[in-house]
Amino acid sequence: MRISKLAKVASLALAFGLVAGTPAYAVDLQGSGASFPALLIEGCKAGFAASGSGHTYVYASSSSGTGQANSDKSIGDFWMSDGAYTAATKRASLIHVPLVAAPIAILHNLPSKTTLSLSAATIAGIFGGTITRWNDPAIVADNNRSTTKVIYKKDANGNPTKDAKGNPVVLRTQIIQQHYTLPDKPIKVVYRSDSSGTSENFTNYLNKSASAVWTKAKNKVFKDSFPGDINSAANLGRVVGAASSTGVAQLAGKTPYSITYAEVNYATANNLKISNVINPAGSSVVPDSVGVGAFLASATQDANGFLTYDYATKEKGAYPLGIVSYLLADTAYPDKTKAAAVKAYATYILSSKCSKDVGAGLGFSVIDGELLKKSLAQVAKIG
């Protein structure tokens, strides 16, 4: 009898300990939206679940347009958008948190192992349909020249160290002589056919950096920003669309002599090569965390959390197609436990355990310094 009572007491104590160690109101968050940050969000799922918050999440990757539409209808608990959401239908209590940073990469399916370099005007010509063959003089000129490579001083996170003015500290520069014999083959352009924050950022870069070529303003729908007639006879079958980053990368991977735009991490899985981008300082820059960090250092942020990028920055090592993906979250969740869970999710994605330990291997950049402070200030408003 005594043993039985002790066993019951022990069982009760064990059960109490388990309950006491687990939050009473653990939340399984539902998120949706942009495909751009999806690999990082998915990669950090297990770490978040084990982080002690007691909460978990699932994320449905589709497009920024879907995330914005779902936020209007309060479908799910949090949403991701690669562009600032300013539509009249946006709820007043919705805020933007710069949550994930990464480069948009120019991916191509050329047989050569030589690194391709492209300037803004050339990229605009290729995607705008005025440059149609790989041995076009503009592409040849971009790839047979001297360019500057910048080596930055890095911090413990692998990001550029900033000086007192917030500028990256340059350790040294070196001159690289490029030579690339380009094939006499037609260029097959693959673009995002769905409503996409990636397309919005990409077309904004083209318009701001090469306005004489890309004459239309940015748009979430690529074809609506296309400066000519995307359905002209010259473009039919040569300029084609596919939905999502996964879709464009897969199609480009199956199409020799193609080019597309997507996250860096889609290159390896689809046997695509990554182009360097020639920035306004004349440097040919690889799309990595260092280049993105140098570019974002020149961005400004308003009270809503929106970033305005300086595409004309003369920072030598800036990769000018770096972007952030915003968390759309509420400042007035009806369920305050859910609000706390969303706040915990955002804090974890911004933490080094996610952004650095997981993100670095996936091609993402760490949000740090002044931008991190501003992001965390936005997180604090979730409630």
Side-chain angles (χ1 to χ4, degrees), residues 20-21 37 74 76 92 111 131 133 147 149 192 222 241 248 292 299 306 332-333 336 339 344-345:
S74 295
I131 295 175
R133 300 191 74 82
T147 60
K149 181 178 180 180
R192 283 285 295 268
F222 178 88
V248 295
V292 170
F306 303 160
Y333 284 97
K336 297 307 175 185
Y345 156 79

Side-chain angles (χ1 to χ4, degrees), residues 28 48 55-56 71-72 74 95 115 155 194 203 246 251 274-275 282 304 307 309 325 377:
D28 184 19
F48 177 68
H55 308 302
T56 59
S71 74
D72 285 344
S74 295
I95 61 170
T115 300
D155 60 20
D194 52 336
T203 56
T246 300
L251 180 56
I274 301 168
S275 303
N304 295 313
L307 293 182
Y309 304 123
S325 191

Side-chain angles (χ1 to χ4, degrees), residues 82-94:
D82 298 331
Y85 186 38
T86 58
T89 53
K90 183 180 81 71
R91 288 179 286 118
S93 58
L94 207 69

Side-chain angles (χ1 to χ4, degrees), residues 73 146 274 364 366:
K73 301 170 186 174
S146 295
I274 301 168
F364 291 90
V366 176

Side-chain angles (χ1 to χ4, degrees), residues 29 48 53 55 77-78 95 97 99 327 329-331 333 336-350 375-383:
L29 294 169
F48 177 68
S53 70
H55 308 302
D77 309 306
F78 68 87
I95 61 170
V97 181
L99 198 69
L327 166 70
D330 212 325
T331 58
Y333 284 97
K336 297 307 175 185
T337 302
K338 187 167 289 186
V342 174
K343 189 176 292 188
Y345 156 79
T347 303
Y348 187 79
I349 298 297
L350 286 166
S375 290
L376 291 173
Q378 290 294 99
V379 171
K381 298 176 185 177
I382 299 171

Side-chain angles (χ1 to χ4, degrees), residues 101-103 157-160 286-295 355 360 363-367:
N157 292 326
N159 291 301
V286 63
D288 62 9
S289 178
V290 177
V292 170
F295 175 66
S355 64
F364 291 90
S365 304
V366 176
I367 290 177

Side-chain angles (χ1 to χ4, degrees), residues 114-319:
T114 305
T115 300
L116 183 69
S117 294
L118 298 170
S119 63
T122 301
I123 296 170
I126 291 171
F127 283 90
T130 57
I131 295 175
T132 61
R133 300 191 74 82
W134 280 111
N135 63 343
D136 186 278
I139 305 177
V140 172
D142 282 350
N143 289 276
N144 292 273
R145 61 195 289 270
S146 295
T147 60
T148 303
K149 181 178 180 180
V150 181
I151 294 87
Y152 286 105
K153 184 178 180 181
K154 299 178 184 179
D155 60 20
N157 292 326
N159 291 301
T161 300
K162 312 287 176 56
D163 62 20
K165 295 181 179 179
N167 299 313
V169 177
V170 176
L171 285 179
R172 65 184 184 279
T173 60
Q174 60 188 82
I175 303 299
I176 304 295
Q177 184 64 46
Q178 292 178 269
H179 180 73
Y180 196 157
T181 301
L182 291 138
D184 183 12
K185 296 287 186 180
I187 302 171
K188 303 294 182 69
V189 175
V190 181
Y191 66 88
R192 283 285 295 268
S193 59
D194 52 336
S195 176
S196 159
T198 305
S199 289
E200 182 177 14
N201 280 281
F202 181 56
T203 56
N204 193 44
Y205 160 75
L206 296 176
N207 177 253
K208 299 297 185 183
S209 303
S211 58
V213 182
W214 199 273
T215 54
K216 285 192 178 179
K218 67 179 181 180
N219 200 294
K220 291 192 291 288
V221 180
F222 178 88
K223 66 180 181 61
D224 290 342
S225 178
F226 191 82
D229 179 6
I230 201 168
N231 295 315
S232 70
N235 292 328
L236 288 178
R238 195 188 64 80
V239 180
V240 296
S244 80
S245 295
T246 300
V248 295
Q250 287 179 345
L251 180 56
K254 297 173 184 176
T255 308
Y257 301 102
S258 63
I259 191 167
T260 191
Y261 56 96
E263 299 85 321
V264 172
N265 39 58
Y266 284 96
T268 301
N270 296 283
N271 296 314
L272 294 169
K273 300 173 182 67
I274 301 168
S275 303
N276 286 2
V277 171
I278 300 171
N279 67 19
S283 302
S284 178
V285 187
V286 63
D288 62 9
S289 178
V290 177
V292 170
F295 175 66
L296 291 180
S298 65
T300 57
Q301 186 178 30
D302 68 12
N304 295 313
F306 303 160
L307 293 182
T308 299
Y309 304 123
D310 180 10
Y311 292 112
T313 178
K314 293 297 183 179
E315 179 58 47
K316 290 184 175 65
Y319 181 78

